[in-house]
Amino acid sequence: MEPALQTLPGRAALEMPIQSLERDAVKGARARFADSHRWRRILLLGATGASTAAAAAIMTQLLAPKGFSPADGLMLALFVVLFAWVAFAFVSGTAGFLLAWRARAASPLDPQPIIFTRTALLMPTYNEDPGRILSGAQAIYEELDALGVAELYDIYVLSDTRDAAIAQAEATGVVRLRLRLGAPDRIFYRRRALNRDRKAGNIADWVIKFGAGYESMIILDADSLMTGDTIVRLTAAMERDEKAGLIQTLPNIIGATTPFARLQQFAGRIYGPIIARGQDWWSGAEGNYWGHNAIIRTRAFAECAGLPHVKGGKPFGGHIMSHDFVEAALLRRGGWAVRMAPELTGSYEEAPPSLVDMAVRDRRWCQGNLQHSAILGARGFHWVSRLHLARGVLAYLTAPLWLAFLAAGAFVWFDQRGAIGEASAPMALGLFVLTMVLLLIPKVMGALVTARDRVARQACGGRIKMGLSVVTEVALSALMAPIFMFMHSVAVADVLRGRHSGWAAQQRDDGKMKLKDAWKRHGIHTLLGLGWTVAAYRLDPLLLAWTSPLAVGLVLSMPISMLTSRGDLGRFCERLGLFRIPEEVETPRVIRRAVELRARYAAEAEMRFQIDLMFRSPAEVYRPKPQGVQANLRAAA
C-alpha cells in the first residue's frame, strides 16, 4: 500500500501483564529512592494534625454546655475530618507559595535541550468532534516540525468512537491531514473494534501492539494542547532521569468562552501553580498522575501498569474507571518514580462550559474515585500513593460529609439554644474565621505570586482588575459551593446504589441554558434553599445568618447556572478585562494555530458533506441510445 493509505505502522509488540493487587512491591523498589522528603511530610502532617487538634478542642468546648450527646459526638467527628481536609490543603498550598515566590521565571531564551529517543503522542478519543482533535494534532506537529524534531515524534489518534458518522470523519480527516502535511509516516489512526476498559484499555491496546517502538509516550486528551518546547523539555527530563516512570505537567485551562469556564480558567491559572508546587514539594518520587498531559516511560508502564479488574459487583467491582491514580501507584510499586513538572507552562486543556456540564463530568469521576476505596488496601503500594487515592475518595465524600455536618449542626443548635453564653461567642466566631482563612489564603497567595510578575500582572488587567477578578471568583465560588455539595452528594448516593455513570462524550462548547432545563437541574436546589431559609429562621434567625451563604447559593442556583453558561456574557467579561489570563494577551502559537484550524475545519463542513454524498451515490454511466439496424432489431424482438 502507498504510505498515505497506511493508517498504522508495523507492529512493535510489548508484553503488558495484568497486575495483581494482592502481591507485594518489586524487591528493592522502596529502597530505590532516598527518602529526602521525610521531614517535609512530617511537617505537612504535623502542621495539619496540630491545627486540627486545636480547632477540635475549641469545637469540643462549644459543644459542651449541655453535656455531650450523640449528635454532639457526630458533629465533632465530622468537623475533625473536614477541618483536617482544609488544613492539609492550606499547609500544602503555603509550601507551594513559598517555592513559587522564590522560583526563577522560565526564560524562553533557555537553550532547547538535545533529545535522542523516539516518543509517541497518543490522543485517545471517544465520540469527540474530529475537528477539535485533528486541529490539535496538526498544531502540535507543526510546533515540533518548526523545532526540527518532528522525526522523533509520532502522533496516534486512538479512536474508541461508536458513532459511525464521527468515525468516518475521523478516518477521512487523518488521511487528509497526512497528505496535507506530507507526513504519512508521522501521523497514524486506529479505531478499536471492541472498546474494552474504556480509555485505559485504549492506551493498553496501543502499548501491547506498538509500545516497543518508543522509549516514551505522551498522553493527551481530545482537548489537550502542548507547545513544542514543552514536549521537547518533557522528553529531555525523561531522558535525564533514568528512574522516572512518569512526569506530570500542570495543564492550564484555555479557550474559555462562558463566565463559568472563564472562572475556572482564571482560578486554575492564578491558584493552580502554587497548588501544584506544593504537591510536588511533599510528593517527590511518589507523585500522582491526572490521566493526560504527562509523559510515561513505555517499558515501565508495560511492566507495571496492566490494570486488573476489581473483584465484586457494582459499584466498586469491574474495570478500574479512574485509572490514572492507580497506574501511578502501580508504577511506584514497581520501583519507578512518579514526578511532577510544575515549572513547565506550555501544557493546556479546556474546561466544561457550564456548572451542569461540570457536574456531569464530576458524576463520572465520582464513580471512579469512590472505586479507589476498594483499592486502598492493595499490597505493595507506597503510603503516599495510598494518600493520593484516599484524597481522591474524599474529594467527593466531603460533599455528603458537609451536608451531614450542617444537618447535625442544626440539631445541636436547637438542642443547645440558650445554653451557649456570651463567653462562647468569640470562640465560635474565631473558629469560623480560622476556617475561612484556611480556605481563602491560598487564593490570596496565588494572586500575590502572579501580581509580583509585572508582565503577568498587566496581562491579567493590572492590579485593580485582577483584584476585582479574584474577589468576584471567590464570591461566585462561594455561591456555587452549596450547589456542588448537593450535586456531589446525589452522585455519591447514586454510586452507592449501584447506578452506573455511563460513558458519554464530554460537552466542550458553550450554549445557553433554557429555563425549563435550569428548573429540571436546579429546581430541587431552589426548593431546598427556600426550605432551609424558612426552617433556619423559625429555629433561630442567628442560625440563618451563619448559614446565609448556603441559603443564598441554593435559592439563586437557577439564575447562577443560566447566567454563567452564556457565551455572550463570557465575551462581555472578556471585554471588561475580568478573569483575564496571560495566555489571552500573548497567546502561544500552538493555541492560535489550533483555533485557526478548528475554524477552517468547521468551514469545510458543507464540502465534506458533498464529498460524502458523491461517494455514497451510485455513479451515473452514459449509455448511448440504439440507432439504425440495432434499433430495428431490438424493436422486432
Side-chain angles (χ1 to χ4, degrees), residues 24 30 64 115 119 132 142 157 231 243 258 291 357-358 402 519 593 603 610 637:
D24 208 343
R30 293 188 183 279
I115 56 175
T119 301
R132 174 177 266 105
E142 290 176 354
V157 177
I231 290 174
K243 296 180 180 180
T258 65
D357 292 312
M358 177 73 86
W402 276 113
W519 173 254
R593 184 60 173 155
Q610 294 299 331

mmCIF file of all heavy atoms in Angstrom, residues 24 30 64 115 119 132 142 157 231 243 258 291 357-358 402 519 593 603 610 637:
data_model
loop_
_atom_site.group_PDB
_atom_site.id
_atom_site.type_symbol
_atom_site.label_atom_id
_atom_site.label_comp_id
_atom_site.label_asym_id
_atom_site.label_seq_id
_atom_site.Cartn_x
_atom_site.Cartn_y
_atom_site.Cartn_z
ATOM 1 N N ASP A 24 3.131 -8.118 46.633
ATOM 2 C CA ASP A 24 3.923 -7.058 47.260
ATOM 3 C C ASP A 24 4.697 -6.285 46.203
ATOM 4 O O ASP A 24 4.701 -6.619 45.022
ATOM 5 C CB ASP A 24 4.883 -7.664 48.286
ATOM 6 C CG ASP A 24 5.205 -6.673 49.406
ATOM 7 O OD1 ASP A 24 4.950 -5.470 49.211
ATOM 8 O OD2 ASP A 24 5.713 -7.106 50.445
ATOM 9 N N ARG A 30 11.251 0.015 47.158
ATOM 10 C CA ARG A 30 11.148 1.052 48.189
ATOM 11 C C ARG A 30 12.499 1.711 48.452
ATOM 12 O O ARG A 30 12.568 2.896 48.784
ATOM 13 C CB ARG A 30 10.610 0.450 49.486
ATOM 14 C CG ARG A 30 9.168 -0.012 49.378
ATOM 15 C CD ARG A 30 8.631 -0.424 50.746
ATOM 16 N NE ARG A 30 7.284 -0.932 50.659
ATOM 17 C CZ ARG A 30 6.192 -0.171 50.598
ATOM 18 N NH1 ARG A 30 6.314 1.131 50.584
ATOM 19 N NH2 ARG A 30 4.996 -0.716 50.531
ATOM 20 N N ALA A 64 -19.973 21.586 74.617
ATOM 21 C CA ALA A 64 -20.041 21.012 75.964
ATOM 22 C C ALA A 64 -21.096 21.586 76.906
ATOM 23 O O ALA A 64 -21.397 20.931 77.911
ATOM 24 C CB ALA A 64 -18.672 21.139 76.642
ATOM 25 N N ILE A 115 17.595 16.014 22.306
ATOM 26 C CA ILE A 115 16.947 14.749 22.669
ATOM 27 C C ILE A 115 17.318 13.689 21.650
ATOM 28 O O ILE A 115 17.678 13.990 20.511
ATOM 29 C CB ILE A 115 15.413 14.911 22.754
ATOM 30 C CG1 ILE A 115 14.859 15.473 21.438
ATOM 31 C CG2 ILE A 115 15.036 15.811 23.915
ATOM 32 C CD1 ILE A 115 13.343 15.544 21.412
ATOM 33 N N THR A 119 9.405 9.224 20.712
ATOM 34 C CA THR A 119 8.258 9.365 21.607
ATOM 35 C C THR A 119 6.980 9.352 20.784
ATOM 36 O O THR A 119 6.911 9.938 19.707
ATOM 37 C CB THR A 119 8.351 10.673 22.406
ATOM 38 O OG1 THR A 119 9.568 10.679 23.160
ATOM 39 C CG2 THR A 119 7.177 10.820 23.360
ATOM 40 N N ARG A 132 -11.788 19.105 16.469
ATOM 41 C CA ARG A 132 -11.012 19.531 17.640
ATOM 42 C C ARG A 132 -9.726 18.722 17.761
ATOM 43 O O ARG A 132 -8.642 19.275 17.940
ATOM 44 C CB ARG A 132 -11.856 19.397 18.904
ATOM 45 C CG ARG A 132 -11.110 19.679 20.194
ATOM 46 C CD ARG A 132 -12.004 19.611 21.413
ATOM 47 N NE ARG A 132 -12.518 20.933 21.756
ATOM 48 C CZ ARG A 132 -13.740 21.356 21.532
ATOM 49 N NH1 ARG A 132 -14.601 20.561 20.939
ATOM 50 N NH2 ARG A 132 -14.124 22.567 21.886
ATOM 51 N N GLU A 142 3.083 20.812 13.767
ATOM 52 C CA GLU A 142 3.753 21.984 13.195
ATOM 53 C C GLU A 142 4.726 22.596 14.194
ATOM 54 O O GLU A 142 5.791 23.097 13.813
ATOM 55 C CB GLU A 142 2.712 22.999 12.751
ATOM 56 C CG GLU A 142 1.911 22.548 11.529
ATOM 57 C CD GLU A 142 0.808 23.524 11.169
ATOM 58 O OE1 GLU A 142 0.589 24.502 11.935
ATOM 59 O OE2 GLU A 142 0.149 23.331 10.124
ATOM 60 N N VAL A 157 -3.887 8.939 16.688
ATOM 61 C CA VAL A 157 -5.283 9.181 17.081
ATOM 62 C C VAL A 157 -5.884 7.809 17.360
ATOM 63 O O VAL A 157 -6.048 6.990 16.445
ATOM 64 C CB VAL A 157 -6.062 9.910 15.981
ATOM 65 C CG1 VAL A 157 -7.524 10.078 16.392
ATOM 66 C CG2 VAL A 157 -5.433 11.264 15.686
ATOM 67 N N ILE A 231 7.015 19.905 25.043
ATOM 68 C CA ILE A 231 7.147 18.488 24.691
ATOM 69 C C ILE A 231 8.618 18.075 24.669
ATOM 70 O O ILE A 231 8.996 17.024 25.201
ATOM 71 C CB ILE A 231 6.480 18.225 23.327
ATOM 72 C CG1 ILE A 231 4.953 18.354 23.455
ATOM 73 C CG2 ILE A 231 6.847 16.840 22.798
ATOM 74 C CD1 ILE A 231 4.216 18.255 22.140
ATOM 75 N N LYS A 243 15.368 6.861 36.390
ATOM 76 C CA LYS A 243 14.470 6.237 37.347
ATOM 77 C C LYS A 243 13.021 6.694 37.172
ATOM 78 O O LYS A 243 12.117 6.146 37.802
ATOM 79 C CB LYS A 243 14.919 6.547 38.779
ATOM 80 C CG LYS A 243 16.273 5.976 39.154
ATOM 81 C CD LYS A 243 16.625 6.337 40.592
ATOM 82 C CE LYS A 243 17.983 5.775 40.994
ATOM 83 N NZ LYS A 243 18.325 6.135 42.398
ATOM 84 N N THR A 258 -17.585 30.977 28.252
ATOM 85 C CA THR A 258 -18.679 31.314 29.162
ATOM 86 C C THR A 258 -18.104 31.855 30.473
ATOM 87 O O THR A 258 -16.938 31.604 30.799
ATOM 88 C CB THR A 258 -19.528 30.072 29.468
ATOM 89 O OG1 THR A 258 -18.727 29.118 30.180
ATOM 90 C CG2 THR A 258 -20.049 29.434 28.189
ATOM 91 N N GLY A 291 -3.990 11.561 34.248
ATOM 92 C CA GLY A 291 -4.588 10.919 33.094
ATOM 93 C C GLY A 291 -4.271 11.525 31.743
ATOM 94 O O GLY A 291 -4.599 10.936 30.717
ATOM 95 N N ASP A 357 -22.526 21.011 33.067
ATOM 96 C CA ASP A 357 -21.568 20.154 32.373
ATOM 97 C C ASP A 357 -20.444 19.715 33.301
ATOM 98 O O ASP A 357 -19.947 18.581 33.192
ATOM 99 C CB ASP A 357 -20.997 20.888 31.157
ATOM 100 C CG ASP A 357 -22.028 21.102 30.064
ATOM 101 O OD1 ASP A 357 -22.722 20.133 29.723
ATOM 102 O OD2 ASP A 357 -22.165 22.236 29.582
ATOM 103 N N MET A 358 -20.038 20.594 34.205
ATOM 104 C CA MET A 358 -19.039 20.213 35.196
ATOM 105 C C MET A 358 -19.581 19.108 36.104
ATOM 106 O O MET A 358 -18.868 18.139 36.426
ATOM 107 C CB MET A 358 -18.643 21.424 36.035
ATOM 108 C CG MET A 358 -17.663 21.126 37.160
ATOM 109 S SD MET A 358 -15.987 20.813 36.586
ATOM 110 C CE MET A 358 -15.371 22.503 36.498
ATOM 111 N N TRP A 402 -20.115 17.303 54.487
ATOM 112 C CA TRP A 402 -20.531 18.674 54.799
ATOM 113 C C TRP A 402 -22.037 18.745 55.013
ATOM 114 O O TRP A 402 -22.523 19.455 55.916
ATOM 115 C CB TRP A 402 -20.127 19.630 53.665
ATOM 116 C CG TRP A 402 -18.727 20.147 53.729
ATOM 117 C CD1 TRP A 402 -17.709 19.897 52.875
ATOM 118 C CD2 TRP A 402 -18.186 21.041 54.723
ATOM 119 N NE1 TRP A 402 -16.565 20.558 53.266
ATOM 120 C CE2 TRP A 402 -16.833 21.263 54.400
ATOM 121 C CE3 TRP A 402 -18.719 21.646 55.858
ATOM 122 C CZ2 TRP A 402 -15.999 22.081 55.151
ATOM 123 C CZ3 TRP A 402 -17.890 22.462 56.624
ATOM 124 C CH2 TRP A 402 -16.553 22.677 56.275
ATOM 125 N N TRP A 519 -34.686 24.583 35.504
ATOM 126 C CA TRP A 519 -35.598 24.084 36.541
ATOM 127 C C TRP A 519 -35.406 22.581 36.751
ATOM 128 O O TRP A 519 -35.414 22.094 37.885
ATOM 129 C CB TRP A 519 -37.042 24.388 36.161
ATOM 130 C CG TRP A 519 -38.022 23.763 37.102
ATOM 131 C CD1 TRP A 519 -38.816 22.680 36.893
ATOM 132 C CD2 TRP A 519 -38.281 24.173 38.462
ATOM 133 N NE1 TRP A 519 -39.557 22.383 38.001
ATOM 134 C CE2 TRP A 519 -39.251 23.291 38.992
ATOM 135 C CE3 TRP A 519 -37.790 25.202 39.268
ATOM 136 C CZ2 TRP A 519 -39.745 23.404 40.281
ATOM 137 C CZ3 TRP A 519 -38.274 25.316 40.562
ATOM 138 C CH2 TRP A 519 -39.230 24.435 41.054
ATOM 139 N N ARG A 593 -2.904 28.518 16.459
ATOM 140 C CA ARG A 593 -2.985 27.661 15.288
ATOM 141 C C ARG A 593 -4.125 26.652 15.421
ATOM 142 O O ARG A 593 -4.844 26.386 14.442
ATOM 143 C CB ARG A 593 -1.653 26.935 15.103
ATOM 144 C CG ARG A 593 -1.559 26.085 13.853
ATOM 145 C CD ARG A 593 -1.747 26.900 12.601
ATOM 146 N NE ARG A 593 -1.489 26.092 11.401
ATOM 147 C CZ ARG A 593 -2.003 26.345 10.218
ATOM 148 N NH1 ARG A 593 -2.806 27.394 10.048
ATOM 149 N NH2 ARG A 593 -1.729 25.578 9.184
ATOM 150 N N ALA A 603 -15.591 25.326 8.671
ATOM 151 C CA ALA A 603 -15.988 25.956 7.415
ATOM 152 C C ALA A 603 -16.055 24.952 6.275
ATOM 153 O O ALA A 603 -16.744 25.186 5.272
ATOM 154 C CB ALA A 603 -15.020 27.082 7.072
ATOM 155 N N GLN A 610 -20.754 17.163 0.817
ATOM 156 C CA GLN A 610 -20.922 16.909 -0.608
ATOM 157 C C GLN A 610 -20.012 15.772 -1.080
ATOM 158 O O GLN A 610 -20.412 14.960 -1.936
ATOM 159 C CB GLN A 610 -20.620 18.195 -1.401
ATOM 160 C CG GLN A 610 -21.606 19.325 -1.148
ATOM 161 C CD GLN A 610 -23.027 18.963 -1.541
ATOM 162 O OE1 GLN A 610 -23.244 18.156 -2.455
ATOM 163 N NE2 GLN A 610 -24.000 19.549 -0.840
ATOM 164 N N ALA A 637 -37.604 -7.701 -31.974
ATOM 165 C CA ALA A 637 -37.550 -8.704 -30.913
ATOM 166 C C ALA A 637 -38.634 -8.448 -29.867
ATOM 167 O O ALA A 637 -39.201 -9.373 -29.324
ATOM 168 C CB ALA A 637 -36.169 -8.712 -30.280
#
